[in-house]
């Protein structure tokens, strides 16, 4: 009872303790997930002009894009492509809605007619487009509840049809939008005249250049504060995205010398017969080795990482490291183990024969649906194509001339040469086609299947016979042993532990490891030589990762790296150190220009040249459109200043790209005025209209309010 009374007396304290514990748990979770405090959602990839891109829908579109790309795009490339596509769609849709642009029902029918009038499914008996057939087709798709129906060479369902309709409508609205903008674009007579004068009016000048190089860099001091001020003045140039500077060392999972020696020894052990106890028969059996195996194909396929190649090979088709030796071995002779790329190989010569190096054949091709390069006109199934090829072959064997049946071949290119093709053994022909042409004799004819279809091939000529050999090769991939893998892991782990208290670079140097630097932006993915490594980038940009942090990462088909964040750079102006690479020369130019101007006291080009120890130069027929100054290079400010002077007038000092200039206009060549500037105006108008789509969208995208959360949500 005494204990219960004490608990009752302290119940309020217990309640407060529990409440505080719960509160701290909730608050702690909130700070772990800042989205709960900021209102940001992990389900929103980006927000464009107030419209969200949903994460789930976005990822599905990325998956579909990758499936269509067939593995040719990385996940990051696919995400970026879909992101750009979605941003474009939303940005333009905002404009369309504001302008009230849409496609109404009648216009949609006209668009569908334009797109599908050539399809037989939508034509009447006279071949004219029939809207009723179109309506019936759409209604039927709807009734199929997701099942597909044929349309031309495609299978479509109601969803794919409506998606296609939406694409057609969107394209039509876009075209209307751009046409509206183009209709408002033109060129005035004044603009056309100005363009004409830009080419036709010229000036001749005399000038003096005092190069910036006349003042040594060491005489011009530039402070960090001046670099910072210059960066702020040219903010667009020195604005940078958030970045992380990372260094890393590699621990490759490579086969050791001991591993390679064992692979070679195991290959050699395969030559001799071996005994093996059979649990089923309770007898010791002799297993044939490479020396005595009668079925070399089965033996190779049972013991090799590369399947048996049942072909005669010329010297040029053999591994470069082994071809000379193999070509000179007798039948039954061995070579190896030898290293060829990622494998150690042991090769045995099976047979030799003389084979041609080039052949001439003629053929008739019967393609089938799904075959390589089969177009829409191909309708035969593989079985039907085989039957057709067999019937053509039978006719030829019965006496019908090959050329009389050539019209049945779909190979229009060879048909123009009587079906003939001439090639050597290195040509990129279908392997089955090539094998038949080289492995058989002149005059032979047969049906051969390839990825293109069925061929009736007749061998017309074989030339340049040379030695070819059939080689049985056992290959073992060079891979690290389990012990080597464990050793690599141990070395990496010890380095990572040592890095906790030691200097990263010093530790690497002591272990003969190369420290490799790389700078990431939030949406980057690649590390040179290691491919896509988004996990490393995500870690580097994690809000809990700070400068000095390090971590190991397993790299597929490589081993490990230990990476360390050296510097965390937030978005904004770049550091003065980085900016100084380009800013320092420009600031020095400005300071040198001021010093040079202070030294110029004379007023004529000749006197300034004399006082400054320079030569005066001339430049004739300058145009306002060409900013190259003869004898000086590209100098837009100098050329522009010359066109602002009257004939005989001398400029004040001009700060150019390579020095300070003083210009005297010696002659102004006024062009003859044109009676009509219409042709120029039309050309300029056409040029402006041709750039509408790219320039308008760029302007809309720059003006859009875009919040990009890709790095936080999907990367």
């Amino acid at each position: 009872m005494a204990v219960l009374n004490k608990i009752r007396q302290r119940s309020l304290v217990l309640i407060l303790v529990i409440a505080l514990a719960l509160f701290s748990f909730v608050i702690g979770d909130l700070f772990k997930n800042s989205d709960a405090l900021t209102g940001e959602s992990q389900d929103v990839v980006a927000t464009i002009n107030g419209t969200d891109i949903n994460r789930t829908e976005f990822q599905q579109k990325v998956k579909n894009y990758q499936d269509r790309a067939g593995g040719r795009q990385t996940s990051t490339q696919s995400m970026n492509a879909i992101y750009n596509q979605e941003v474009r769609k939303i940005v333009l849709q905002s404009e369309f809605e504001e302008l009230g642009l849409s496609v109404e029902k009648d216009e949609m029918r006209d668009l569908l007619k334009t797109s599908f009038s050539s399809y037989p499914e939508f034509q009447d008996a006279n071949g004219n487009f029939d809207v009723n057939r179109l309506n019936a087709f759409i209604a039927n798709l709807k009734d199929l509840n997701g099942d597909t129906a044929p349309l031309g060479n495609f299978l479509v369902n109601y969803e794919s049809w409506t998606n296609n309709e939406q694409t057609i409508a969107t394209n039509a609205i876009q075209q209307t939008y751009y046409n509206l903008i183009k209709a408002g674009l033109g060129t005035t007579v004044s603009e056309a005249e100005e363009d004409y004068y830009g080419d036709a009016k010229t000036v001749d000048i005399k000038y003096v250049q005092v190069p910036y190089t006349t003042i040594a860099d060491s005489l011009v001091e530039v402070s960090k504060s001046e670099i910072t001020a210059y960066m702020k003045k040219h903010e667009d140039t020195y604005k940078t995205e958030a970045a992380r500077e990372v260094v890393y060392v590699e621990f490759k999972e490579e086969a050791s010398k001991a591993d390679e020696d064992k692979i070679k020894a195991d290959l050699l052990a395969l030559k001799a017969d071996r005994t093996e106890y059979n649990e089923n028969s309770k007898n010791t059996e002799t297993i044939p080795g490479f020396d005595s195996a009668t079925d070399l194909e089965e033996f190779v396929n049972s013991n090799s990482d590369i399947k048996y190649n049942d072909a005669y090979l010329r010297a040029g088709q053999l591994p470069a490291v082994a071809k000379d030796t193999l070509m000179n071995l007798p039948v039954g002779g061995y070579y190896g183990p030898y290293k060829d790329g990622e494998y150690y190989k042991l090769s045995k010569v099976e047979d030799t024969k003389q084979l041609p190096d080039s052949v001439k054949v003629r053929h008739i091709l019967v393609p089938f649906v799904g075959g390589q390069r089969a177009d829409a006109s191909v309708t035969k199934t593989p079985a039907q194509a085989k039957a057709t090829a067999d019937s053509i072959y039978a006719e030829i064997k019965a006496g019908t001339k090959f050329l009389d049946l050539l019209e049945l071949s779909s190979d229009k290119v060879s048909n123009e040469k009587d079906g003939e093709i001439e090639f050597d053994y290195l040509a990129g022909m279908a392997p089955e086609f090539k094998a038949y042409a080289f492995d058989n004799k002149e005059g032979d004819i047969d049906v051969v299947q390839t990825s293109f279809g069925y061929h009736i091939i007749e061998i017309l000529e074989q030339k340049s016979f040379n030695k070819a050999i059939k080689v049985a090769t056992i290959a073992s991939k060079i891979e690290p042993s389990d012990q080597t893998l464990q050793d690599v892991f141990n070395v990496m782990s010890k380095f990572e532990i040592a890095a906790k208290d030691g200097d990263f670079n010093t530790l690497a140097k002591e272990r003969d490891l190369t420290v490799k630097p790389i700078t990431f932006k939030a949406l980057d993915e690649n590390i040179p030589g290691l491919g896509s490594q988004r996990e490393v980038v995500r870690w580097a940009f994690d809000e809990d990762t700070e400068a000095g942090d390090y971590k190991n990462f397993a790299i597929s088909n490589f081993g490990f790296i230990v990476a360390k964040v050296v510097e965390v750079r937030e978005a904004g102006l770049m550091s003065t150190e980085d900016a100084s690479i380009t800013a320092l020369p420009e600031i020095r130019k400005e300071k040198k220009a001021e010093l040079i101007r202070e030294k110029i006291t004379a007023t004529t080009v000749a006197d300034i040249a004399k006082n400054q120890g320079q030569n005066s130069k001339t430049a004739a027929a300058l145009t306002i459109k060409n900013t190259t100054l003869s004898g000086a290079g590209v100098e837009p400010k100098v050329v522009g200043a010359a066109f602002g002077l009257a004939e005989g007038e001398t400029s004040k000092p001009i700060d150019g790209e390579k020095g300070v200039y003083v210009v005297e206009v010696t002659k102004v060549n006024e062009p003859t005025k044109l009676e009509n500037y219409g042709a120029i105006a039309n050309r300029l108008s056409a040029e402006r209209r041709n750039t509408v789509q790219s320039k308008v969208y760029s302007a809309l995208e720059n003006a859009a309010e875009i919040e990009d959360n890709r790095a936080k949500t999907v990367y």
Side-chain angles (χ1 to χ4, degrees), residues 191-205 620-629 634-645 665 667-671:
E191 288 174 321
E193 187 176 3
E194 184 179 337
D195 183 80
Y196 167 69
Y197 272 76
D199 287 317
K201 181 179 179 179
T202 65
V203 297
D204 300 340
I205 66 169
L622 295 178
T623 67
I624 194 66
K625 288 185 177 181
N626 185 353
T627 58
T628 300
L629 183 62
V634 178
E635 289 289 358
K637 290 182 181 179
V638 180
V639 173
F643 277 86
L645 300 172
V665 174
K667 187 177 182 182
V668 176
N669 304 296
E670 294 288 351

Side-chain angles (χ1 to χ4, degrees), residues 107-118:
E107 185 182 356
M108 191 69 225
R109 286 290 185 246
D110 290 338
L111 290 170
L112 292 175
K113 177 181 178 180
T114 301
S115 299
F116 296 104
S117 60
S118 63

Side-chain angles (χ1 to χ4, degrees), residues 10 17 28 148 164 179 224 227 265 306 346 354 378 380 394 438 487 545 574 614 633 635 669 677 713:
R10 298 180 181 179
V17 169
T148 59
N164 191 45
N179 286 342
K224 282 190 175 181
I227 294 175
I306 299 176
L346 178 63
Q354 294 291 315
V378 176
K380 286 184 173 65
F438 282 101
D487 291 344
T545 302
M574 64 175 63
Q614 304 296 326
E635 289 289 358
N669 304 296
Y677 294 92
T713 56

Side-chain angles (χ1 to χ4, degrees), residues 266-278 283-293 298-299 302-303 474:
D266 289 345
L267 282 173
L268 289 172
L270 289 171
K271 292 176 65 177
D273 297 348
R274 73 180 191 277
T275 57
E276 189 175 281
Y277 182 74
N278 189 317
N283 291 318
T284 300
E285 299 178 351
T286 299
I287 309 299
F290 211 176
D291 288 333
S292 59
E298 182 183 358
F299 183 84
S302 298
N303 294 283
I474 303 173

